[in-house]
Amino acid sequence: MPFTGAFTTQNTQAAKWLVENAPVKIQIHGHWSWIGVDGGSYVYSRVPALADGVAADPCSPVNDASDLATPAQTLFLEYATRLQVCMADEDKFRAPNNPEAIELELAKIKLLYAYYAHLDLATGSSSTGGLPDLCSPSNILDLGGAALSFPCLESAFNLVTANNGRPTIIMSNSRSQESYRNLCWAAGIEPPSVPWRWYDPAKGWVSGAVTSFNGVPWLINDKMDIGDDPTQRRIYFMVVGDDSNPTPTRGVVGTRPADLMRNPFIKRVTNGVPDFDNSAVNMTRDVWLTMPAGLALGSQGALSILQNFDWVGSCVGG
């Protein structure tokens, strides 16, 4: 269906952009790490747990401890959306605000929403799947429906061994973070926080604090499943970023084609859509917006998941 109500966007130049009436909280977006990739895939070479060196006597023999490297390949997914603008609206209402241009900004948000929703998907594919597909099975702590607890949070946190056992970000949806905060209140302590920065529309970038666990910021991604099925509830502990060094600091990153690092979106336009049944052409402009993007994990010690838990506390009477 073409973009409707185009005339309502032309009242004043100050009212240029369409306003999203139900925005989704994705605090992780401003702190996600991206790397550019030449070619259609990104490949890590990984080795299993290393064998320690030995203390050797002078001229004594040393057993071979050569490593076995195996590849881990991640591919791009093509995220896409399409919008349609009636040519008559484009002709009549092109100034001061162009209907196609203003709706295109919302199309970009739709693609980002799709990407951050994919982070939490378990697809069964280690090359195109979400974080559950990349995580080592030994780094997934399944509570079997039991209530979220401090000891289980601590256990999942400690499953991250990369970066000297220091996750840089914890990610969950709002309800899971609320459950953690309820744990704190029930224990008689104020939920801990760490310094952080965010954008304030009145003041610009400001400093404040966000919820934390063990000194690590806990950020919200509400494109994660927030339904009633406990098996789909997950909290991620991640080292986010990849410094490309030969050290255990190779974490979770998003991947993009190298030439799209500055602008990840590709726009294509078709003028007129044929109506073959009536030998006619619709007076529309069809705009396709695409975003090729992937997800990669360097060291598997950089990611752990706490899953399948019951929430703690709820609003009564609301």
Side-chain angles (χ1 to χ4, degrees), residues 38-296:
D38 289 319
S41 66
Y42 193 53
V43 181
Y44 288 101
S45 291
R46 294 187 183 139
V47 294
L50 300 181
D52 292 351
V54 296
D57 294 329
C59 298
S60 64
V62 177
N63 290 333
D64 176 68
S66 300
D67 297 301
L68 172 65
T70 57
Q73 182 183 44
T74 59
L75 306 174
F76 294 126
L77 285 178
E78 178 86 328
Y79 297 92
T81 188
R82 181 172 68 93
L83 61 95
Q84 192 176 83
V85 180
C86 177
M87 288 182 180
D89 289 339
E90 187 78 10
D91 292 345
K92 292 184 294 183
F93 307 128
R94 62 195 303 158
N97 306 322
N98 183 285
E100 178 185 309
I102 60 177
E103 195 175 10
L104 196 64
E105 294 305 310
L106 291 187
K108 295 176 183 178
I109 298 174
K110 295 172 185 177
L111 295 185
L112 291 172
Y113 279 171
Y115 180 83
Y116 288 107
H118 189 78
L119 294 185
D120 189 42
L121 290 183
T123 68
S125 170
S126 60
S127 59
T128 59
L131 289 169
D133 298 303
L134 301 184
C135 190
S136 169
S138 61
N139 279 16
I140 298 176
L141 181 57
D142 192 306
L143 299 194
L148 189 67
S149 67
F150 287 129
C152 292
L153 285 166
E154 190 72 26
S155 294
F157 184 98
N158 288 330
L159 288 174
V160 173
T161 55
N163 197 35
N164 280 323
R166 187 73 181 170
T168 58
I169 285 177
I170 300 169
M171 180 181 74
S172 76
N173 59 34
S174 294
R175 185 61 183 88
S176 294
Q177 188 198 75
E178 177 188 329
S179 189
Y180 163 62
R181 292 173 62 86
N182 286 339
L183 273 177
C184 296
W185 294 123
I189 59 175
E190 183 175 347
S193 60
V194 292
W196 207 248
R197 295 181 73 243
W198 60 82
Y199 184 77
D200 183 296
K203 301 178 181 179
W205 284 95
V206 297
S207 297
V210 293
T211 298
S212 67
F213 179 74
N214 279 347
V216 176
W218 187 318
L219 303 181
I220 291 171
N221 174 6
D222 271 344
K223 292 306 294 184
M224 294 172 56
D225 191 292
I226 203 165
D228 294 328
D229 184 0
T231 64
Q232 299 305 308
R233 296 174 190 162
R234 302 182 184 94
I235 300 172
Y236 296 92
F237 301 80
M238 300 181 283
V239 177
V240 173
D242 184 341
D243 60 10
S244 298
N245 285 327
T247 53
T249 48
R250 314 290 296 271
V252 181
V253 290
T255 61
R256 288 174 175 158
D259 63 332
L260 297 179
M261 283 296 287
R262 289 185 177 272
N263 181 9
F265 307 107
I266 301 171
K267 175 186 172 183
R268 296 178 176 88
V269 180
T270 301
N271 288 321
V273 178
D275 180 356
F276 295 105
D277 292 335
N278 299 304
S279 300
V281 176
N282 293 326
M283 291 183 61
T284 58
R285 281 172 60 86
D286 273 44
V287 180
W288 280 263
L289 195 70
T290 58
M291 184 185 76
L295 179 63

